[in-house]
């Protein structure tokens, strides 16, 4: 079995993967907040 | 296709974004309504006709999750995500062709039938894998993915609307929007296909129990247990109660406060719907993660018991206090989302991780049933009450009483859940060998 200590560092890949899904989700949440504010404005 | 096994040192935190890339995409289904008005004017369709692609998509979601679950378990998550990517994206491409050539049946076939298969296979694709990577926190892991399904509509709704505004709402503009959706989702979902890995089984992926320890029951045997059908009732009742509010949220809040000194405007009602979506999404990750701490049976006691109490509060005092009405509706919707997200972990607790994806797929038929039942109850009763000359909050009083009854039925079903009888367990390799020796002796 391959030695785990020699395994490549995948921190950059993990950050990139989370940004890939996190960025559009943040856009969706931002649009949601704009819409939800109408409840308290009107 | 053999399941892709993780190389040494593969981080389990790469699996949730892989799952999210699929769920955030297929969650677009709940934003279908954005396409309805342009389709109706461009192709001269009725409201019922323009809803067909979505309805067929949801039917296909339930059917493909129920019948494709075993294939997903056999071929692994990468195969399932690839099927989901191809079906969901080609569904949009077929729809683009349908809109460009003004052939509406192609949009129904593409988005509804082909895309619907992508919805079902995509929905269950990461569940089993996440549970195997996070045996210590299965509720949180599946909560992240299933939260994505709620989040998908939040992204798609403004994005699709902006696209239609730029391309135009005629048939060629809709075709271009469908084309861009198909291509964009193919690229976005490819992250899941490339990143997803199953854990190596010889080594635990986290401290604590392995996903393969304890009870293991096959999908075929799970259907023969009362536990499966109890959970089917629990999910069906919880979803029906949530849909009861979600489906008519905007007219409901407007009707409730129509005769008061503080009536709710159309834009404020739209804000209320948006807030419910946020509660639905937050409930998926929040309550599902809480279930890892307090246990699955207890969290469903909260969803169903406190949910019934919230309905009782709305029915009794909802029209006298707007904050109370909003708060109760938000709690109910958070339980609705939580119910969806916690069910895979509940199934894992009862039947083990062996074929949990396939069992989950079969259980989703409860969702399809609730999807018909919830709106039917609320709409039929509201129409009936309106016909009888009633108005305001009294249009919904009977619906709420029925919802309380359904939640109590779910609560009883949850109380009846016991550990699965050992005769349904798959024997461990050593036990099976001992059994064979005893038979030979």
């Amino acid at each position: 079995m391959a030695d785990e200590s020699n395994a490549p560092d995948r921190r950059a890949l993990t950050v990139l993967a989370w940004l890939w899904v996190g960025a559009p989700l943040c856009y969706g949440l931002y649009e949601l907040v704009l819409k939800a504010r109408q409840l308290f404005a009107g | 296709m053999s399941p892709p096994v993780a190389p040494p040192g593969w981080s389990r935190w790469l699996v949730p974004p892989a799952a999210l890339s699929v769920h955030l995409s297929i969650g677009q289904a709940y934003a279908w309504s954005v396409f309805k008005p342009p389709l109706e004017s461009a192709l001269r369709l009725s409201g019922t006709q323009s809803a067909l692609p979505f309805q067929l998509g949801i039917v296909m979601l339930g059917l493909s999750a129920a019948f494709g679950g075993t294939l997903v378990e056999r071929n692994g998550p990468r195969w399932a995500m690839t099927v989901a990517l191809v079906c969901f994206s080609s569904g949009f491409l077929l729809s683009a062709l349908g809109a460009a050539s003004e052939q509406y049946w192609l949009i129904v076939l593409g988005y509804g039938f082909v895309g619907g298969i992508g919805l079902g296979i995509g929905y269950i694709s990461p569940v089993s894998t996440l549970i195997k990577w996070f045996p210590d926190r299965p509720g949180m892991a599946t909560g992240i993915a299933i939260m994505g399904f709620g989040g998908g509509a939040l992204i798609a709704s403004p994005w699709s609307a902006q696209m239609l505004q730029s391309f135009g709402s005629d048939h060629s503009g809709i075709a271009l929007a469908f084309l861009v959706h198909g291509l964009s989702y193919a690229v976005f979902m490819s992250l899941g296909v490339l990143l997803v890995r199953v854990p190596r089984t010889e080594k635990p992926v986290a401290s604590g129990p392995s996903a393969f320890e304890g009870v293991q029951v096959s999908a075929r045997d799970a259907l023969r247990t009362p536990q499966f059908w109890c959970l089917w009732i629990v999910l069906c009742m919880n979803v029906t109660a949530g849909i009861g509010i979600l489906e008519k949220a905007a007219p409901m809040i407007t009707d409730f406060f129509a005769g008061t000194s503080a009536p709710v405007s159309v834009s404020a009602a739209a804000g209320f719907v948006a807030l419910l979506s946020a509660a639905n999404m937050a409930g998926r990750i929040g309550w599902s993660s809480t279930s890892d701490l307090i246990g699955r049976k207890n969290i469903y006691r909260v969803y169903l018991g406190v949910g019934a109490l919230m309905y009782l509060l709305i029915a009794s005092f909802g029209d006298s206090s707007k904050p109370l009405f909003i708060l109760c509706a938000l709690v109910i919707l958070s339980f609705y989302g939580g119910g969806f997200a916690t069910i895979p972990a509940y199934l894992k607790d009862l039947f083990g991780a062996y074929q949990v994806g396939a069992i989950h797929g079969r259980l989703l038929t409860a969702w399809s049933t609730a999807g018909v039942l919830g709106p039917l109850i609320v709409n039929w009763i509201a129409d009936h009450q309106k016909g009888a000359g009633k108005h305001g909050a009294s249009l919904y009083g009977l619906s709420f009483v029925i919802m309380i009854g359904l939640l109590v039925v779910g609560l009883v079903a949850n109380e009846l859940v016991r550990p699965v009888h050992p005769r349904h367990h798959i024997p461990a390799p050593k036990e099976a060998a001992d059994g064979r020796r005893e038979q030979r002796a």
Side-chain angles (χ1 to χ4, degrees), chain B residues 416-427:
Chain B
L416 293 175
V417 173
R418 299 276 182 276
V420 175
H421 193 280
R423 73 168 176 273
H424 297 293
H425 297 183
I426 290 171

Side-chain angles (χ1 to χ4, degrees), chain A residues 8-20, chain B residues 11 14 195:
Chain A
D9 186 354
R10 293 194 172 88
R11 271 178 294 189
L13 180 65
T14 309
V15 171
L16 198 71
W18 279 100
L19 280 175
W20 182 268
Chain B
S11 167
L14 282 165
L195 273 190

Side-chain angles (χ1 to χ4, degrees), chain A residues 1-4 7-8 10 13-14 16-18 20-22 24-25 27-29 31-32 35-40 42, chain B residues 7-10 13-14 16-17 21 24 154-155 158-159 162 187-188 191 195 200 202 265 267-268 271 274-275 278 281:
Chain A
M1 193 200 291
D3 185 2
E4 295 238 348
R10 293 194 172 88
L13 180 65
T14 309
L16 198 71
W18 279 100
W20 182 268
V21 292
L25 190 59
Y27 160 73
L29 286 171
E31 291 285 341
L32 177 90
K35 215 170 179 184
R37 277 170 54 187
Q38 295 171 356
L39 175 62
F40 305 102
Chain B
W10 191 258
W13 290 102
L14 282 165
S21 73
L24 283 173
L154 300 187
I155 301 166
W159 184 56
Q162 279 168 11
V187 172
F188 191 71
L191 178 92
L195 273 190
R200 290 173 299 149
E202 72 268 24
S265 66
S267 64
L275 215 54
M281 216 177 87

